[in-house]
């Protein structure tokens, strides 16, 4: 007989950036007690803590050891620094990073990963019910408790080990971070010629909508997939004053052409 899962009802949150800010709100709104918010920058800790009416701490030694969960939501390269400065703790310690293995927390008895698979900005409100949460724990009980907590926030919760998360994180960088940088380059190009980025927003919306019912491969259009060398040559010439963007254009065009040749499209 499987024993009942003890719910996580109290959290200490380490971090004050985009993910930490969103999680503080989501947890509070879901009735989970966020007892403390830590940041090494006092003004950041106090700003987030005040907005959620919780305590702010700026020393790791001040972390509440009676909480159920310590949730580390800082930049990837700061996780080890945080964990090395924490006091002994019998509860669960989890981080929110997609590309960092669970083993970074192996100094604790109960540890895991609580990864919201979504791009988050402080200024944007998110419907957490649609956000996939990817969960891993170092033992069955920890995994079940983290899954249960995630289920309070979202309808899309699943187990995902470090290898799965690493693959998903790479895909997210390609499809989100890289694409957004291409938007930035497009905006710069338009601005240079006195044009508004607003011209592109209907195109971006339609492109995004198409991949909801077509595969990305099926949705591909443009001169590269048609191997329209004349148009691509004109584009390359027009970009001659911007060699870095010209290089990206050439690389992406060649990649699209070769990919669709290989797959027989």
């Amino acid at each position: 007989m499987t024993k009942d899962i003890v719910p996580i009802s109290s959290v200490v949150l380490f971090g004050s950036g985009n993910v930490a800010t969103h999680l503080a709100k989501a947890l509070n709104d879901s009735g989970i007690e966020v007892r403390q918010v830590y940041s090494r920058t006092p003004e950041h800790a106090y700003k987030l803590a005040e907005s959620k009416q919780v305590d702010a701490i700026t020393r790791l030694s001040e972390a509440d050891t009676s909480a159920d969960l310590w949730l580390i939501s800082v930049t990837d390269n700061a996780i080890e620094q945080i964990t090395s400065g924490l006091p002994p703790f019998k509860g669960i310690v989890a981080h929110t990073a997609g590309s960092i293995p669970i083993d970074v927390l192996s100094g604790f008895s109960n540890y895991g990963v609580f990864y919201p698979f979504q791009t988050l900005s402080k200024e944007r409100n998110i419907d957490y019910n649609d956000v996939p949460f990817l969960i891993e724990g170092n033992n069955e009980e920890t995994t079940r408790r983290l899954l249960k907590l995630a289920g309070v926030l979202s309808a899309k919760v699943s187990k995902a080990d470090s290898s799965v998360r690493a693959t998903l994180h790479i895909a997210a960088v390609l499809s989100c971070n890289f694409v957004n940088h291409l938007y930035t380059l497009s905006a710069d190009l338009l601005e240079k010629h006195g044009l508004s980025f607003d011209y592109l927003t209907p195109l971006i919306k339609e492109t995004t909508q198409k991949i909801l019912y077509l595969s990305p491969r099926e949705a591909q259009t443009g001169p590269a997939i048609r191997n329209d060398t004349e148009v691509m040559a004109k584009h390359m010439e027009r970009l001659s004053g911007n060699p870095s963007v010209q290089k990206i254009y050439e690389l992406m065009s060649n990649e699209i052409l070769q990919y669709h040749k290989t797959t027989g499209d």
Side-chain angles (χ1 to χ4, degrees):
M1 180 176 175
T2 304
K3 68 178 182 179
D4 292 339
I5 303 171
V6 179
I8 292 171
S9 60
S10 56
V11 177
V12 175
L13 190 58
F14 297 86
S16 57
N18 291 335
V19 177
T21 299
H22 273 275
L23 285 175
K25 182 179 187 305
L27 291 166
N28 259 345
D29 290 350
S30 299
I32 307 300
E33 179 189 7
V34 180
R35 290 188 178 175
Q36 296 171 317
V37 171
Y38 164 86
S39 176
R40 62 183 176 181
T41 306
E43 55 266 34
H44 293 171
Y46 293 127
K47 182 178 180 180
L48 178 54
E50 183 179 16
S51 69
K52 307 305 172 194
Q53 298 183 327
V54 301
D55 291 335
I57 58 173
T58 56
R59 293 185 180 89
L60 295 171
S61 59
E62 297 174 332
D64 186 341
T65 57
S66 67
D68 295 325
L69 171 66
W70 286 355
L71 192 56
I72 301 172
S73 185
V74 296
T75 56
D76 291 1
N77 57 9
I79 293 175
E80 286 194 57
Q81 182 183 352
I82 293 288
T83 57
S84 64
L86 288 171
F89 181 52
K90 293 182 180 179
I92 298 172
V93 182
H95 70 66
T96 63
S99 60
I100 302 298
I102 190 175
D103 299 353
V104 72
L105 303 175
S106 60
F108 298 91
S109 299
N110 304 293
Y111 56 93
V113 180
F114 191 81
Y115 177 40
F117 191 57
Q118 180 58 278
T119 177
L120 300 171
S121 300
K122 292 180 182 179
E123 301 79 12
R124 294 277 299 171
N125 289 323
I126 295 289
D127 180 1
Y128 272 86
N129 199 51
D130 288 332
V131 175
F133 275 79
L134 307 177
I135 303 301
E136 183 178 14
N138 74 310
N139 56 55
E140 183 181 354
E141 182 179 358
T142 296
T143 302
R144 292 174 68 208
R145 293 184 74 190
L146 289 173
L147 286 168
K148 187 176 180 68
L149 176 63
V152 173
L153 305 181
S154 172
K156 299 179 179 179
V157 178
S158 59
K159 296 180 185 179
D161 64 21
S162 296
S163 176
V164 169
R165 290 196 317 278
T167 300
L168 286 168
H169 195 252
I170 293 169
V173 169
L174 289 171
S175 63
C176 176
N177 304 144
F178 285 2
V179 169
N180 191 74
H181 185 60
L182 293 177
Y183 294 159
T184 302
L185 296 178
S186 300
D188 289 348
L189 177 66
L190 291 170
E191 183 179 350
K192 181 180 177 181
H193 292 277
L195 299 167
S196 171
F197 188 75
D198 290 345
Y199 280 108
L200 291 184
T201 53
L203 181 65
I204 291 169
K205 287 179 181 178
E206 176 59 19
T207 302
T208 304
Q209 287 296 317
K210 275 201 300 187
I211 61 170
L212 298 179
Y213 57 89
L214 292 175
S215 72
R217 183 176 63 207
E218 292 171 322
Q220 186 68 54
T221 60
I225 194 173
R226 299 191 302 269
N227 195 19
D228 193 333
T229 55
E230 184 177 343
V231 169
M232 290 188 287
K234 288 178 180 178
H235 288 174
M236 289 288 288
E237 182 181 358
R238 192 163 179 81
L239 290 170
S240 59
N242 195 336
S244 61
V245 176
Q246 188 184 54
K247 185 176 180 180
I248 292 170
Y249 184 96
E250 183 177 27
L251 177 66
M252 291 296 294
S253 295
N254 287 336
E255 172 62 24
I256 291 169
L257 179 59
Q258 293 305 316
Y259 177 87
H260 288 274
K261 272 186 178 180
T262 303
T263 58
D265 292 354

